[in-house]
Structure formats: C-alpha cells, structure tokens
C-alpha cells in the first residue's frame, strides 16, 4: 500500500465513521460536530485528488463559517430529544422510500460512464487547481458564475427583508448620533474660584 | 526509506518552527506585562530571576501544577478538547509563513487560502469551550466571540483579496517577491485602507483589547474560559498569544515585504553591517516584533468597545471600505498604475 493509498483509506474511513456518527448520536451539538469532522475529512480527500482549491474552500466556507452558525443555532435551541424520537415508527415507511430513492440515485450516478476512473482523466497538468478553476470560471462560465452571484445576492436581500422589522417600542441607540456628540452637550464645566480653607 | 527520511525531516522542520514560536509566546506574555507596566508608569514583574526574566517559566510551572477542575454537568470530552481546537489552528497556520526567501514549511500554491481556512477554525475552540463548560458566563462569552469572529473574518478575507489582486498569487513567498524594490513598493502604500482593515480585524480576530468583549471581565467575568484552570487555561492563553504572533507575522509578510530589507539595494554595500542591512530573516523578525508591540500598545491605550459598536464597525465600516478599495484596485490594475499595478489585468 502506497502512502497516498494509506492517506486515502484513512480519511475515507474517518469520513464514513463521522457521517455515521452524525446521524446516530443523540445530542444535536455532537451531531453538528460530527458533520464538521466529516467535512474536514472530505476536504482532505479532495486535496489528495489535487483539488486543493475545493478542499481548502470547503474548510473555509463550510467548516469555518456555515457550520459555526449552525452550531450557534443548535446550541441555543432547547431540543427535547424524546419528543423528536416519538414518531419513529409512524414515519418509518416514508423514510424508507426516501432512502431507497437516494440509494437508486447514487447507484445511477456511480454507475454512469463519466464517473468511472477510465472515463475521467486525472489532473495531469502542472497548472495549480486554483488557477485552472479560475481560468474556466471567469472565461467559459462567466455568465453562469455571475448569475449565481446575483441569485445569492437576491437570497441575502430576501433574508434581510424577512427578518428586518423595526419595532417602535424597542429602545434603540443611533450610533451616528452617539458619535456626533460633543463634550459641551454632555458636561458643563463651571468655573469658580477656589474655596478658601478655614484656618 | 526515502519516505521515512522525508518524514523525519518534516518533523524536524516543524519542531524548528514550533519550539521557537512557543518560546516567543512565553516571552511575549512577559513583554506584555513589562511594556504595559512601563506605559502605566510602574515596573512590572522583576522578582523571578535577573530583572524578572524567568517570570514566564515560573508562570508555566505554576500553571502545570494547578488542578484542572471540570465543572459539574460539563461535557468532559468537549471541555478538554476545546483548548486543543483553539491552539491547533494557530500553530498549523505557520506551515505556509515564509521566514526568508524559500524558508517555509510547505511551499503550497494556495497559501493565502490555507491561512484563511486555518484562522477561521480557531472559533471552534472558543464556542465549544463556552458550550461545554455548562456555565452562563462562558456561553455568553462564546456567543459574543463567535459573532465577532464571523463578522471580522469577512473584512479580513476581503483585505487579503486586495493583496491577492496586487500580487497575482496566493503563495506567500510570491506575494513577498512581488513587493521587492524600495519601501514604497511594499503593499502598505497602495493598499493602505486594506492594511488598516487587516490590522483592526486582526486585533478583533484575536479577541484582544479593545475588542475583547468575549472575555470582558466587568460584564461576564472571564467569558468563554471562565471555568478553565491549570493547563487547560494555559493552552487557551497560548492560543491567544500564538494567534497574535501569527497576525503580526502575516501583517509583516502581506503588507510590509516580509524578509525584504527597507535599505535595498543600497544597504548591502555598506561595510561591516552590510549583510545585516540586506534582505533576510532578521527583517521578518523585526517587522513581526513591531506589530507584536502594537498589540500591547493598543491594549494599554484603548478602552474596550461596546458590543454593538464592535458589530457596527465590522459590518458597516470595515467591510464597505474593503469593497470600495477592491473596486479602486481593479481600476488601478486596468490603468496599469506603477510601480505596483504594472502587471495589468
């Protein structure tokens, strides 16, 4: 077994184990942490495929930002685990159908012609993955890329519009007014002659 | 056998970076107490060893022999894991820092991205410490810190995009080489707003004064590490200082030409001290030390920000500044303004 193979099997095993852990542990915070670990290991797998840009961006975006906010929310929730587990038998048939559909989909993808090792030339060029991606993203696929950016912008604005509401009864300080304040609006310095000490 | 030698060599290199780094961190705490002491017109620690030089060692020994107390109903595994998660990224990020021309642990192409990824991982240690402690103060500190880190990471990332646009490379060694020339070729001049944003968000990212609301002692005792004691606390302390050293080193590399000498190319011709005035690791260390001093100076000078002011500064001031400057930089690149942007688009 070569070193690269060892690295591959090591990180794949960790990815699968942490993915299993994610769906089996009871505590939601632990589940989020398992998911983070799974992301981290898949990033390592991508790096072994010489896709260092994808690997590092996975860590940067998902582990470093998205999952932090997830953890943030999950930590704040008071989740009653017993209640969540109540409907297990009732929802089992639906769950099995969804699971079967996903297994079939995955099987179709894995069996497809483009997914085989032979049909998929390895990245043999000396061009770094980051540069190669940038070259196609900003030339060949520039319009889809820009459209994706606009879609994300719409999502940002929609999220802000949904949550932003001014409540008239809440107390609120305006920072620009606070910054614009001057000393003579707050304190009044009174000049007075010193009191004579009684001797 | 070759693999084994490579492995040994790599471990040796890692030790060569980490051991001096930890020594620097230890003496940085001493320097902090001394510098702030002198700023506040007192002497600072001067009892342990000659002029107090053994103080950090005494501190380390004291912390090692203290008991690590695990709070009742705390999550034991995560409670002990959190300090490790805080320290590991702070050390791992040093893999791509160039100390001199070609002196880096891993000469990877996506060095800048790697740095961003590593610095964004540090927040896990803080959040988990806050959550696993089973304490209100710790949880509040963790939440404050997480919101702050996420906000300032964006500003910091945009500032690094500015560096990337100017140098045309993600490799830190290439970024330094792109700055070669005189002092005015370094990126602090063309990217001055980016440099200021980077420095401010660097201070905020390391949870240092005046942005240290995560451990604001007047409100939430000690914030996320309120329940930690002994070595577990010491590791958080190490992580904070290692992060400060890292941010200082990166400021030196990205905006102040890393190992490049300010006296280039005249300095080398000066007799006797010529080699010292030329490019070399001494300049990297000197510049890093200057930024480290700035951290201490800030702490002794500025009062702590209010929490909503921190959020406002991050989202409404720093991020717009970087976005505007990225646009300006694009224009400068398109117009080939020299000597920095002659590379063109």
């Amino acid at each position: 077994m070569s070193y690269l193979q060892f690295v591959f099997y090591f990180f794949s095993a960790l990815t699968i184990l942490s993915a299993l852990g994610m769906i089996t542990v009871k505590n939601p915070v632990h589940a989020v942490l398992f998911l983070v670990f799974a992301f981290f290991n898949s990033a390592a797998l991508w790096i072994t495929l010489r896709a260092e840009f994808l690997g590092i961006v996975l860590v940067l975006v998902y582990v470093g930002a998205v999952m932090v906010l997830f953890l943030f929310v999950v930590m704040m929730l008071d989740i009653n685990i017993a209640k969540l587990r109540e409907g297990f038998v009732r929802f089992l048939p639906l769950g099995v159908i969804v699971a079967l559909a996903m297994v079939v989909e995955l099987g179709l993808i894995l069996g497809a012609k483009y997914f085989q090792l032979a049909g998929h030339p390895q990245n043999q060029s000396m061009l770094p993955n980051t540069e190669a991606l940038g070259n196609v993203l900003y030339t060949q696929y520039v319009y889809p890329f820009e459209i994706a950016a606009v879609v994300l912008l719409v999502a940002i604005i929609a999220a802000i519009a949904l949550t932003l509401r001014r409540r008239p009864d809440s107390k609120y300080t305006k920072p620009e007014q606070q910054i614009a304040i001057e000393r003579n609006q707050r304190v009044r310095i009174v000049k007075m002659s010193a009191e004579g000490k009684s001797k | 056998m070759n693999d084994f030698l490579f492995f040994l060599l790599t471990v040796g290199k890692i030790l060569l970076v980490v051991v001096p780094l930890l020594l620097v961190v230890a003496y940085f705490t001493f320097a902090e107490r001394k510098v702030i002491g002198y700023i506040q017109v007192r002497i600072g620690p001067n009892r342990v060893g000659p002029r107090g030089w053994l103080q950090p060692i005494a501190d380390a020994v004291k912390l090692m022999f203290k008991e690590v107390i695990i709070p009742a109903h705390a999550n034991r595994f995560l409670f002990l894991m959190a300090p490790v998660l805080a320290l590991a990224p702070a050390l791992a990020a040093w893999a791509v820092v160039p100390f001199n021309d070609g002196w880096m642990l891993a000469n990877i192409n996506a060095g800048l991205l790697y740095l961003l990824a590593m610095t964004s991982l540090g927040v896990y240690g803080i959040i988990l410490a806050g959550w696993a402690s089973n304490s209100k103060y710790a949880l509040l500190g963790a939440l404050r810190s997480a919101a702050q880190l996420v906000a300032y990471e964006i500003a910091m990332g945009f500032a690094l995009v500015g560096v990337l646009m100017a140098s045309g490379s993600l490799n830190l060694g290439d970024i330094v080489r792109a700055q070669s020339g005189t002092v005015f070729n370094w990126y602090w001049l063309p990217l001055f707003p980016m440099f200021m944003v980077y420095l401010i968000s660097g201070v905020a990212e390391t949870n240092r004064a005046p942005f240290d609301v995560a451990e604001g002692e007047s409100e939430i005792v000690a914030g996320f590490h309120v329940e930690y004691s002994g070595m577990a606390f010491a590791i958080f302390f190490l992580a904070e200082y290692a992060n400060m050293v890292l941010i200082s080193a990166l400021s030196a590399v990205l905006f102040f030409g890393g190992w490049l000498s300010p006296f280039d190319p005249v300095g080398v011709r000066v007799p006797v001290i010529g080699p010292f005035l030329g490019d070399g690791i001494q300049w990297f260390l000197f510049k890093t030390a200057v930024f480290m001093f700035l951290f201490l100076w800030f702490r002794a000078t500025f009062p702590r920000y209010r929490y909503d002011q921190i959020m406002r500064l991050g989202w409404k001031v720093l991020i717009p500044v970087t976005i505007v400057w990225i646009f300006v930089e694009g224009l400068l690149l398109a117009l080939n303004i020299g000597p920095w942007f002659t590379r063109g688009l």
Side-chain angles (χ1 to χ4, degrees):
Chain A
M1 194 158 66
S2 76
Y3 179 65
L4 198 62
Q5 269 176 326
F6 168 74
V7 168
F8 172 77
Y9 283 116
F10 180 73
F11 284 113
S12 322
L14 283 180
T15 310
I16 293 169
L17 284 179
S18 46
L20 278 178
M22 189 245 153
I23 52 170
T24 50
V25 288
K26 283 183 184 166
N27 191 327
V29 171
H30 291 178
V32 172
L33 290 174
F34 268 119
L35 187 58
V36 168
F37 197 52
F39 277 144
F40 203 82
N41 288 310
S42 1
L45 282 178
W46 261 344
I47 288 171
T48 59
L49 285 174
R50 305 179 70 184
E52 81 275 1
F53 179 77
L54 293 178
I56 294 173
V57 165
L58 181 70
V59 172
L60 179 61
V61 175
Y62 278 89
V63 178
V66 175
M67 292 317 287
V68 172
L69 297 178
F70 254 75
L71 199 59
F72 209 89
V73 173
V74 168
M75 266 165 36
M76 294 279 93
L77 296 176
D78 189 21
I79 298 175
N80 190 343
I81 299 158
K83 211 170 184 179
L84 276 179
R85 308 203 141 202
E86 255 174 14
F88 184 73
V89 181
R90 191 152 65 89
F91 292 120
L92 191 62
L94 187 68
V96 169
I97 291 170
V98 173
L100 277 178
M102 285 189 78
V103 166
V104 170
E105 278 173 10
L106 276 177
L108 284 176
I109 292 171
L110 289 177
K113 189 177 66 179
Y114 303 107
F115 214 74
Q116 306 310 315
L117 266 182
H120 178 77
Q122 274 208 319
N123 177 11
Q124 298 292 356
S125 73
M126 289 312 288
L127 202 63
N129 169 255
T130 317
E131 214 177 316
L133 259 176
N135 279 342
V136 289
L137 216 51
Y138 287 98
T139 54
Q140 201 176 344
Y141 298 108
V142 68
Y143 291 121
F145 185 70
E146 297 288 330
I147 291 168
V150 172
V151 169
L152 280 175
L153 184 67
V154 169
I156 292 173
I157 293 170
I160 293 172
L162 280 176
T163 52
L164 185 75
R165 48 182 178 165
R166 282 266 146 72
R167 283 171 48 193
D169 56 325
S170 72
K171 289 190 174 160
Y172 175 73
T173 52
K174 290 203 172 100
E176 56 273 17
Q177 282 182 4
Q178 289 182 315
I179 290 167
I181 211 84
E182 280 177 19
R183 192 188 63 178
N184 50 25
Q185 290 170 283
R186 288 287 160 86
V187 283
R188 190 166 54 92
I189 293 175
V190 184
K191 282 240 188 305
M192 59 181 285
S193 53
E195 295 277 330
K197 234 180 194 175
S198 59
K199 281 178 186 170
Chain B
M1 196 61 211
N2 238 347
D3 278 355
F4 184 67
L5 270 180
F6 178 75
F7 175 75
L8 275 187
L9 198 68
T10 312
V11 171
K13 281 187 200 164
I14 290 172
L15 286 179
L16 214 58
V17 174
V18 170
V19 172
L21 176 68
L22 291 181
L23 275 177
V24 166
V25 165
Y27 275 87
F28 191 25
T29 62
F30 178 65
E32 172 167 42
R33 293 167 71 178
K34 272 286 185 193
V35 166
I36 292 181
Y38 280 115
I39 289 176
Q40 296 167 346
V41 205
R42 52 191 178 82
I43 293 173
N46 66 343
R47 281 289 174 268
V48 189
R51 309 180 66 118
W53 286 336
L54 296 181
Q55 182 71 43
I57 295 168
D59 286 343
V61 170
K62 182 195 81 171
L63 283 167
M64 263 182 247
F65 285 105
K66 276 187 143 182
E67 183 187 358
V68 177
I69 298 164
I70 296 176
H73 304 295
N75 189 316
R76 198 189 164 85
F77 176 72
L78 289 181
F79 185 79
L80 294 176
M81 196 66 186
V84 180
L85 282 177
L87 180 64
L91 295 181
W94 282 89
V96 293
V97 175
F99 296 91
N100 199 346
D101 204 351
W103 290 18
M104 44 162 79
L105 259 177
N107 191 2
I108 61 174
N109 288 318
L112 209 56
L113 270 177
Y114 171 83
L115 269 178
L116 270 176
M118 282 301 133
T119 46
S120 72
L121 287 182
V123 64
Y124 277 100
I126 292 171
I127 299 188
L128 289 180
W131 184 77
S133 298
N134 188 32
S135 157
K136 300 271 187 300
Y137 288 131
L139 188 62
L140 282 173
L143 289 181
R144 283 180 172 197
S145 157
Q148 183 182 329
L149 287 183
V150 169
Y152 281 85
E153 223 170 71
I154 300 173
M156 199 178 213
F158 274 137
L160 296 187
V161 167
V163 174
L164 162 68
M165 280 171 75
S167 66
S169 171
L170 282 168
N171 182 304
L172 291 171
D174 288 343
I175 288 173
V176 173
R177 264 171 239 122
Q179 300 178 51
S180 52
T182 59
V183 182
F184 301 108
N185 282 69
W186 299 352
Y187 286 151
W188 64 272
L189 188 59
L191 302 181
F192 191 71
M194 296 296 197
F195 167 60
M196 291 316 289
V197 169
Y198 182 80
L199 198 62
I200 294 170
S201 39
V203 178
E205 282 266 296
T206 47
N207 279 325
R208 288 289 296 184
F211 302 101
D212 57 345
V213 287
E215 42 185 297
E217 65 270 7
S218 53
E219 302 142 20
I220 48 173
V221 194
F224 64 92
H225 58 51
V226 67
E227 303 289 347
Y228 282 85
S229 60
M231 254 344 250
F233 166 74
I235 289 175
F236 272 121
F237 208 67
L238 270 181
E240 182 180 328
Y241 282 78
N243 267 323
M244 276 200 283
V245 181
L246 178 70
I247 296 285
S248 308
L250 290 180
S251 311
V253 166
L254 299 174
F255 296 98
F256 278 78
W259 66 79
L260 299 175
S261 158
F263 303 114
D264 223 34
V266 196
V268 195
R269 282 186 239 124
V270 177
V272 190
I273 52 166
F276 180 76
L277 291 180
D279 300 340
I281 188 171
Q282 72 274 14
W283 287 110
F284 169 80
L285 296 177
F286 173 72
K287 290 165 187 170
T288 307
V290 169
F291 284 110
M292 281 160 66
F293 177 75
L294 276 183
F295 271 93
L296 308 183
W297 195 1
F298 290 157
R299 179 167 172 195
T301 308
F302 298 121
R304 183 176 295 137
Y305 261 88
R306 213 173 58 201
Y307 188 71
D308 62 315
Q309 290 172 334
I310 289 187
M311 283 296 136
R312 180 175 174 273
L313 180 71
W315 288 105
K316 292 190 178 172
V317 179
L318 297 186
I319 294 176
V321 164
T322 50
I323 291 176
V324 167
W325 203 256
I326 284 176
F327 184 71
V328 171
E329 226 186 311
L331 281 183
L332 293 176
L333 270 170
L335 298 172
N336 284 333
I337 306 288
W340 315 286
F341 301 110
T342 44
R343 188 171 55 83
L345 282 177

